[in-house]
Amino acid sequence: MSDSNTTKFTHPSIFILLGIPGLELAHVWISIPFCAMYIIVILGNFTILFILKGERSLHEPVYYFLCMLAITDLVLSTSTMPKMLAIFWFNSNKIVFSACLTPLYFVHCFSAIESGIFVAMAVDRYMAICHPLRYSTILTNRMVAKIGLAMVLCGSMLALPYPFLARRWPYCRTSIIPHMHCEHMYVVKLACADIRISSYYGLFVVFCVICLDVFFIVMSYTQILRAIFSLPTKDTRLKTFGTCGSHLCVILAFYIPTLFSSLTSRFGHDLPLHFLFFIANMYLLMPPVLNPIIYGVRTKQIRDRLLLLFTHKGT
């Protein structure tokens, strides 16, 4: 290791992102699925936004939440993927200290926002299925705007201490981060100070956000399932249950890797680094890939509009 990487300093001028330790020779091949997923994220979510903006009949609360989800997925994936692909393709593994803290903040901020959107969409489905007559009077455009603003403020405030604490620590061990992006715990572990406050705050946010949000989601879907089983026909029950089941799969694909990544980055010292890398990127890429498919293609109104768009262009 060079002297520049072990010299004592308060704030490093640069960090060096190793990528996937032990698999450096395979970076080009590993980049193929990641690049493909990122392309799907970009095309899928921009398509959703384009359709929802152009179709006035889809200007309803559930689709406003879907727009928020698409924007959040675009920001969340773009916060890390361009740098990851640059490392894979060009070995561009250097990043300045302030530039490292920026995606660190955005990942935590928009992860919290996405969690809030899942709650809002679950409550929206609860109101639509269990209280259809009160739906339009409660979930007005004004109420949706207030909910969206509350989620942004909550995510922004919860994520603010992450870069603040990371900037507060003195760094004197090394400037090498054994990861693909500036993940919070991998950055602060380089500090030559007691970083327990950073670790405890991260655990507090994860468990606070996950426990509260999952509680509201579970309560909403419990009431939804009760309403489904009271539907008169079997076909209607199966159709509604299939839609809710696919939504729950996307929610689990977000929460389980998020919780597992947070715990393994703190306590998974004996786990292989490439396994930790895989888990850490699951919640950054899988939900943005799945959301346009589950919430978009499987939604009849959006699917019909998408087919109409392609057939119109074809003719």
Side-chain angles (χ1 to χ4, degrees), residues 3 142 176 198 215 227 258 281 286:
D3 294 338
R142 186 181 182 87
I176 296 177
S198 287
F215 171 77
T258 300
N281 285 277
M286 287 308 297

Side-chain angles (χ1 to χ4, degrees), residues 14 39 84 107 112 118 180 209-210 219 227 231 245-246 252 262 288:
I14 62 168
I39 292 173
M84 288 170 56
V107 164
F118 283 136
M180 287 300 304
V209 169
I210 288 180
M219 291 297 294
L231 292 174
S246 60
L252 291 175
S262 179

Side-chain angles (χ1 to χ4, degrees), residues 33-34 36-38 40-41 45 69 73 76-77 80-81 114 118 249-258 278-295:
F34 282 95
M37 285 190 289
Y38 187 50
I40 293 172
V41 170
N45 285 288
L69 186 64
D73 285 337
L76 194 59
S77 57
T80 57
M81 278 306 301
E114 179 146 344
F118 283 136
C249 288
V250 174
I251 291 170
L252 291 175
F254 175 78
Y255 284 111
I256 292 177
T258 300
F278 174 76
I279 294 298
N281 285 277
M282 278 287 289
Y283 81 95
L284 295 178
L285 273 179
M286 287 308 297
V289 169
L290 293 175
N291 288 340
I293 299 172
I294 300 299
Y295 290 108

Side-chain angles (χ1 to χ4, degrees), residues 20 27-28 30-31 34 84-90 180 277:
I20 309 177
H27 274 179
V28 173
I30 295 172
S31 71
F34 282 95
M84 288 170 56
L85 292 176
I87 294 172
F88 284 144
W89 293 337
F90 312 114
M180 287 300 304
F277 162 79

Side-chain angles (χ1 to χ4, degrees), residues 199-232:
S199 180
Y200 292 159
Y201 179 75
L203 287 174
F204 165 75
V205 170
V206 168
F207 282 103
C208 180
V209 169
I210 288 180
C211 289
L212 284 176
D213 289 356
V214 168
F215 171 77
F216 287 117
I217 290 172
V218 169
M219 291 297 294
S220 298
Y221 276 97
T222 300
Q223 298 301 316
I224 289 171
L225 289 175
R226 289 179 61 183
I228 289 174
F229 288 121
S230 66
L231 292 174

Side-chain angles (χ1 to χ4, degrees), residues 25-288:
L25 295 178
H27 274 179
V28 173
W29 297 105
I30 295 172
S31 71
I32 295 174
F34 282 95
C35 182
M37 285 190 289
Y38 187 50
I39 292 173
I40 293 172
V41 170
I42 297 296
L43 293 179
N45 285 288
F46 269 117
T47 300
I48 293 293
L49 291 173
F50 176 76
I51 291 175
L52 296 182
K53 181 180 182 297
E55 185 59 47
R56 294 189 62 85
S57 64
L58 299 180
H59 291 183
E60 298 177 3
V62 62
Y63 300 112
Y64 291 146
F65 290 131
L66 187 55
C67 282
M68 296 178 197
L69 186 64
I71 294 170
T72 302
D73 285 337
L74 287 169
V75 176
L76 194 59
S77 57
T78 304
S79 298
T80 57
M81 278 306 301
K83 184 60 179 179
M84 288 170 56
L85 292 176
I87 294 172
F88 284 144
W89 293 337
F90 312 114
N91 198 30
S92 176
N93 55 6
K94 293 182 180 180
I95 185 169
V96 298
F97 183 73
S98 58
C100 185
L101 298 183
T102 302
L104 184 151
Y105 173 78
F106 275 101
V107 164
H108 287 90
C109 174
F110 281 87
S111 294
I113 293 173
E114 179 146 344
S115 182
I117 294 172
F118 283 136
V119 175
M121 296 182 78
V123 173
D124 173 88
R125 290 300 84 202
Y126 163 73
M127 293 297 302
I129 294 174
C130 300
H131 302 285
L133 298 180
R134 299 170 58 193
Y135 179 81
S136 59
T137 58
I138 294 176
L139 282 176
T140 62
N141 290 347
R142 186 181 182 87
M143 178 58 69
V144 171
K146 288 181 178 179
I147 293 172
L149 181 60
M151 289 186 297
V152 172
L153 290 176
C154 181
S156 301
M157 296 303 295
L158 286 173
L160 194 59
Y162 286 107
F164 175 78
L165 290 172
R167 184 178 288 276
R168 180 173 177 265
W169 305 127
Y171 294 84
C172 59
R173 292 176 180 170
T174 179
S175 60
I176 296 177
I177 302 174
H179 209 274
M180 287 300 304
H181 60 87
C182 294
E183 204 277 337
H184 173 241
M185 285 308 299
Y186 285 89
V187 173
V188 298
K189 280 180 181 179
L190 304 182
C192 50
D194 186 353
I195 61 167
R196 281 182 293 181
I197 186 173
S198 287
S199 180
Y200 292 159
Y201 179 75
L203 287 174
F204 165 75
V205 170
V206 168
F207 282 103
C208 180
V209 169
I210 288 180
C211 289
L212 284 176
D213 289 356
V214 168
F215 171 77
F216 287 117
I217 290 172
V218 169
M219 291 297 294
S220 298
Y221 276 97
T222 300
Q223 298 301 316
I224 289 171
L225 289 175
R226 289 179 61 183
I228 289 174
F229 288 121
S230 66
L231 292 174
T233 61
K234 183 178 179 181
D235 289 341
T236 306
R237 288 198 299 269
L238 289 175
K239 182 179 179 180
T240 309
F241 186 78
T243 301
C244 292
S246 60
H247 292 182
L248 287 173
C249 288
V250 174
I251 291 170
L252 291 175
F254 175 78
Y255 284 111
I256 292 177
T258 300
L259 180 60
F260 196 76
S261 176
S262 179
L263 294 176
T264 54
S265 66
R266 292 167 173 83
F267 309 114
H269 306 296
D270 298 328
L271 294 174
L273 287 176
H274 59 271
F275 175 74
L276 298 178
F277 162 79
F278 174 76
I279 294 298
N281 285 277
M282 278 287 289
Y283 81 95
L284 295 178
L285 273 179
M286 287 308 297

